[in-house]
Amino acid sequence: MNSFNCLAEIRVEGQTYAFYSLAALERQGFPGVARLPYSLKILLENLLRHEDGAFVKRDDILALANWDPRSTEDHEINFHPARVLLQDFTGVPAVADLAAMRDAVRRMGGDPARINPLLPAELVIDHSVQVDKYGTPDAFQQNADLEYQRNRERYLFLRWAQTAFRNFTVVPPETGIVHQVNLETLARVVFSAPANGGRLVLYPDSLVGTDSHTTMVNGIGVVGWGVGGIEAEACMLGQPISMLIPPVVGFRLKGRPSEGVTATDVVLTVTEMLRKKGVVGKLVEYFGPGLDNLPAADRSTISNMSPEYGATIGIFPVDDQTLSYLRLTGRSEQQVKAVEAYCKEQGLFRTADAPEAVYTDTLELDLASVEPSLAGPRRPHDRVPLRQAKPRFQEALAQLLKAAPQKAAAAVAVAEPAGSQELNHGAVVIAAISSCTNTSNPSVLIGAGLLAKKAVERGLKSKPWVKTSLAPGSKAVTAYLMETGLLPYLEKLGFYLVGYGCTTCIGNSGPLPEAVAREVKDRQLVAVSVLSGNRNFEGRIQPLVRANYLASPPLVVAYALAGTMDIDLYNEPLGSDPQGRPVFLRDLWPSDNEIQQAMAAAVRSELFQRANANALEGDERWKSLDVPTGDLFAWDPASTYIKRPPFFEELPPEPAPPRDVRGARVLALLGDSVTTDHISPAGSIPADGPAGKYLISLGVTKTDFNSFGARRGNHEVMMRGTFGNIRLRNLLVPGAEGNWTLHIPDGEKMPIFDAAMKYQGEGVPLIILAGREYGSGSSRDWAAKGTVLLGVRAVIAESFERIHRSNLVGMGVLPLEFQPGENAASLGLTGQEIYEIDGVTDLKPRKQLTVRAAGNGAQKQFSVRVRIDTPQELQYFLHGGILPYVLRNLLKG
């Protein structure tokens, strides 16, 4: 029985539901509940509903109900998400872990069927398709065929999991991008489920997802964020998310975007502002009159990039815009009415006259001040106003050339039917309408189509060296582009459908045309990609592309026409029409009225319903897969895709006591903004790297390598790829890029994997030294799994990004932070010392530890802070990670 007696009833369309009433709690002496931020109300309801369990106590509810936005006092709470969302790159290793846990339970005398998702777990296959074929009507079919050829083992494994596990749903390939599928079909906004006694209970939809951009669903009022696969697995097995009550930053929006400004321009501006503000580990909540001018699709674009601005979530409240979106995407009227009634009753429904919530801090943006923008060339929060794009690129080019001296870059003619054009520094070799961020927002997709139509009518073409692609977030996109008659114009510029998946944004951009690749490589050109995505980190998009820019879909089309980043789109023409007259971007850019008229005619509810009617069935290729059966998976020792993970082999019934670190060496000395792309690359597998050599030794040809992302079910590949990014700069090896380090004390230069194995053979533990924002970017659990398999005991950094810090703890790697103002350079650390870390045997959350570094006859001593933040995280760490902790507790009953 809930100690606050908050259970109430609500009637919707003739159906009676129970719910946990925040108003009832408020009447019991908590007047501040009504002014809590929207997101904290969701967390408070979650605590009320789970108070009877083992993880939520009365004091937790009191702490949140009495929340003081100015307080710095820490209080740990346990959040129980309603469901778990996965994609295939992160989902395959998560499912492999669950399958291996079943094996371990059987070995230890338990029932393997106890390893089973207790929450709805939904996995969308969207990360595997690559842009091998493009620019032709059959590109989609060819890429899909290649996808099934390459990933058959993985897909059979997922089909097995769908039959072996309860509460586990797989959305087949070529359906859509996970976050758009979540928005259009999976998100409930308000859940309805039977509780004890058989009554239907309404409660807020909430989730964690194994992808950092899970936050996209925040745009329709659903609390959810990205976690690593290990945390997601623990949630599926009944573990809550342990967290400190977070600060909440209110972001007030006012006004409306000016003519020609897109949702992409807004989110790039917001991202820049919030990175400067500093919101890592905080919740961001949007409010204010400007929300009236942002439809749900635009809000979801802004929420999507929460990881890029560093926030845990970036949430919009439920309001009339949310209800309109639910109806548009084909939710039942009963569901929409339940969302409306419940949110209004709980004080979760935004109205213009409602009192504003109180926040830890606030900032404001007048939407009318936003201007057309890009971001690049290597970080999402480095916004570039479009009017400054040319000079800013020239500055970036100078820095890139200075960092890596180039050969002389004489112009080279690339033949095309009507003559020749020049390929030089700044050549746009990839123009991709790609990723979850923009490719399902009707305003920018239709805007791109209208721009293409005008360009074709003026006789313009994309430049011949540009690899063009269209990878929508859902089938509804192609449906409304066809309905408007705009798809043929995009196709005439080379933007043919290549697949429904992340493609270029995740690094699955495929090879460049051979002639272009040869020129870029031989002359070391600084080639450019322009994509409508959210990530542009070094080495991510394409190995030969060194400058990457994020832009709206219409600008992606514009840069395909220009063929170069070295252009002033305000004052220089994109090309000439058949009469020789110059054609400028302003001549082609569609008006807001044109976009709205096209949307009104084509973007309708029945279109979404038709497009998503058979989303879970898949095509004939999916249906014809020969599905394995049985509670235990039959591992194939010869498989190079799916291998039993090593994390549960010979797991003792009780964890070993923690040990201080003695005689450690530095595996890598790294700078600022090292991303999970640097730590655990997801793109192509180099043949001359440790992972490529391993595959070749097993008889896998280079053409069958697939990608690191597709091989995340094979720990042998992934540990060899850890710290293998081609743009990684390890300061132990100055001037070198890639997976190089020094083995100390002999000073031999070798690949990081080889050095780690040599250290393991010598019994030497390892540490990583790093700068600020360590582990930013994607929620890759393999960035932590690979780290631990290389023998790394601790990472000492100036600061950590949220998800990777959590993943390190979840794998039993100790995250430590330098004291404020200190770093490896200020302490005079070269990385060639021998390290000792004291105090690990008596570990406590956020404890100060002492580190000693001895080298060249001298010893330096400094203190670091443990970034194990909560008592529950400490339990995970002491067990060697979350999954051993869960497994041991399951066996104890």
Side-chain angles (χ1 to χ4, degrees), residues 68-75:
D68 181 355
R70 295 158 298 184
S71 175
T72 57
E73 181 180 343
D74 291 336
H75 186 97

Side-chain angles (χ1 to χ4, degrees), residues 604-635:
R604 304 185 307 275
S605 179
E606 56 269 25
L607 181 147
F608 281 87
Q609 292 179 49
R610 286 198 307 271
N612 297 324
N614 302 309
L616 299 182
E617 293 183 10
D619 58 20
E620 288 306 314
R621 285 169 296 212
W622 181 255
K623 295 175 184 176
S624 65
L625 290 173
D626 187 13
V627 183
T629 58
D631 286 343
L632 299 178
F633 183 68
W635 306 95

